[in-house]
Amino acid sequence: MEFRMYSLKISLSEIEPQIWRRFTVPAGITLDRLHDIIQIIMGWEDSHLHQFSIGKKRYTENPEFREDGLEEANYRLGDLVKQKNRVFGYLYDFGDRWEHEIVLENNRYSSPQSDIECLEGANACPPEDVGGVPGYYGFCDAMINPKHKEHGSYMEWYGGVYYPKQFD
């Protein structure tokens, strides 16, 4: 495969305002390495299972957990996704079910860097184990309202050992 860079946009589904990143990767990147990049640029902690959905196939690092799963380390993005504007899925955390949509925006991206790079994005990723989309909205409501019955416990949880920073 010739050396090519892809420009991708990943968006977290069902969240408003939208949480997204635009980034570049080599077309020849394996799906397991793409997972690593997504974890970093989105702000996840890589503490849960995940899978890619491309067409009708599922790719994961643990195919034994899915009858129809394929070993992601054996597949390169550029062999599976070639056309500009092609959309595929990435699911992180089978419990909280963080669904992401990934779009191949440019299949011949050129940059003086010619390297993996996060170009732009918006909004912070939800905390791990917050309870999926409904839990995240409840968390946000409680964090901004000091009178909310869960405000204190969420402040302690988020501002404690796991997330020693202010939520924004």
Side-chain angles (χ1 to χ4, degrees), residues 83-154:
Q83 291 180 315
K84 188 176 176 182
N85 298 319
R86 175 80 190 271
V87 178
F88 60 102
Y90 172 76
L91 171 64
Y92 175 63
D93 186 346
F94 293 179
D96 280 0
R97 296 202 56 79
W98 295 111
E99 298 270 359
H100 301 72
E101 178 182 275
I102 304 173
V103 179
L104 173 56
E105 291 188 322
N106 187 339
N107 58 0
R108 294 194 181 276
Y109 183 81
S110 78
S111 162
Q113 298 274 339
S114 290
D115 204 356
I116 297 168
E117 172 177 30
C118 186
L119 303 170
E120 59 183 328
N123 300 312
C125 216
E128 298 274 351
D129 302 318
V130 76
V133 173
Y136 175 64
Y137 282 128
F139 169 79
C140 289
D141 289 344
M143 291 296 280
I144 63 171
N145 181 359
K147 294 181 181 181
H148 192 284
K149 66 180 180 176
E150 298 293 328
H151 180 78
S153 62
Y154 274 132

Side-chain angles (χ1 to χ4, degrees), residues 3 5 11 17 46 51 57 73 75 81 87 90 103 134-135 140 143 149 157 167:
F3 183 79
M5 293 296 291
S11 304
D46 200 9
Q51 76 178 16
K57 295 185 179 175
Y75 296 90
V81 177
V87 178
Y90 172 76
V103 179
C140 289
M143 291 296 280
K149 66 180 180 176
W157 172 71
F167 178 74

Side-chain angles (χ1 to χ4, degrees), residues 14-79:
E14 301 180 40
I15 299 285
E16 291 295 332
Q18 190 178 57
I19 299 167
W20 64 274
R21 309 287 183 269
R22 182 169 283 116
F23 63 107
T24 63
V25 295
I29 193 169
T30 57
L31 295 181
D32 60 331
R33 297 292 66 94
L34 179 59
H35 158 73
D36 294 337
I37 300 302
I38 291 169
Q39 289 292 301
I40 293 166
I41 66 165
M42 290 301 289
W44 295 119
E45 297 178 4
D46 200 9
S47 57
H48 298 282
L49 296 173
H50 67 277
Q51 76 178 16
F52 290 93
S53 300
I54 303 173
K56 294 183 180 185
K57 295 185 179 175
R58 309 275 182 255
Y59 303 86
T60 182
E61 70 181 333
N62 300 95
E64 63 274 11
F65 293 130
R66 293 194 55 98
E67 284 182 24
D68 61 346
L70 300 167
E71 174 63 51
E72 68 186 10
N74 296 333
Y75 296 90
R76 297 189 180 280
L77 181 62
D79 294 334

